[in-house]
Amino acid sequence: MGDYVEIPALNEKEWRAFHLEEIGTVTSGRDIYAAERVKGNTPYITSGGTNNGVGYFVGNINDTLDFGYIALNRNGAVGKAFYHPSKSLMGNDCRKVHLKDADRNLFIGQFVALCLSMQSECFSYSRKLGTARAKRMQVMLPVTDSGEPDYKYMEQYVKNMMLRKYRQYLAFLE
């Protein structure tokens, strides 16, 4: 994971809004209906607001099998987002987001997923988050001096948070 590195606080960084389609690709999931589901070990991502969106573990496979993406709920817990570092399948109640310049990075994926989830209050059951709306959705991110998403900062911020928590755990165990 690396070492703790001093970086500016979140409120010291400049932030800018980006349409999701500017920073990533947005695609739809595909349902595996209850009658079709076979028990197995592959997480099947639904639109839940807990358990990282995992609704079931299945033995089915379809073209949504993927890893290193953000699942953005379009239904149910609309607007909630979770990063999925491991292989999983995704139902149609979610939209898959792959970041263009920081794909499959656990730390950046977690940072961006949290920034997306902060907007979940803007949605409801009657105002769903379909693919077109998700592409135009704006997310606030810290930026570099040139105005691009500061992925290095986001990565180090999450690493620092994790290292602080690890240190707390170790202190507790001692």
Side-chain angles (χ1 to χ4, degrees):
M1 179 183 322
D3 294 325
Y4 186 91
V5 176
E6 279 299 320
I7 58 174
L10 290 173
N11 63 356
E12 295 173 355
K13 286 291 289 178
E14 184 175 333
W15 291 66
R16 184 171 85 91
F18 294 89
H19 288 108
L20 206 45
E21 66 185 348
E22 289 179 78
I23 63 167
T25 58
V26 180
T27 56
S28 179
R30 180 174 313 177
D31 286 332
I32 301 174
Y33 299 106
E36 302 169 331
R37 280 185 217 128
V38 176
K39 287 187 180 188
N41 296 322
T42 304
Y44 177 62
I45 311 306
T46 62
S47 61
T50 59
N51 299 324
N52 218 34
V54 177
Y56 309 95
F57 287 89
V58 299
N60 308 61
I61 297 293
N62 65 26
D63 61 354
T64 68
L65 185 65
D66 202 355
F67 70 97
Y69 64 89
I70 297 169
L72 179 61
N73 291 350
R74 72 168 280 275
N75 198 11
V78 184
K80 286 289 247 179
F82 299 100
Y83 182 74
H84 293 278
S86 303
K87 285 187 178 180
S88 57
L89 296 163
M90 185 171 31
N92 190 44
D93 279 341
C94 299
R95 296 299 176 256
K96 184 185 299 183
V97 180
H98 273 288
L99 299 173
K100 292 177 183 173
D101 296 326
D103 201 31
R104 297 196 166 122
N105 182 303
L106 170 69
F107 307 104
I108 297 169
Q110 289 177 330
F111 190 101
V112 174
L114 180 60
C115 290
L116 287 167
S117 288
M118 293 176 129
Q119 297 185 59
S120 64
E121 295 173 1
C122 299
F123 302 97
S124 65
Y125 187 79
S126 63
R127 186 169 186 265
K128 295 181 183 181
L129 188 58
T131 305
R133 186 172 279 163
K135 287 179 179 181
R136 299 301 300 155
M137 180 180 180
Q138 291 189 329
V139 58
M140 294 292 291
L141 297 174
V143 294
T144 63
D145 291 339
S146 62
E148 296 301 315
D150 193 343
Y151 291 119
K152 287 182 182 178
Y153 174 84
M154 292 180 231
E155 180 174 15
Q156 192 60 54
Y157 184 86
V158 174
K159 285 180 178 180
N160 285 355
M161 295 282 290
M162 292 177 82
L163 287 167
R164 269 188 293 232
K165 190 51 75 177
Y166 290 155
R167 289 178 185 155
Q168 286 178 339
Y169 293 151
L170 290 173
F172 175 78
L173 292 173
E174 291 174 356

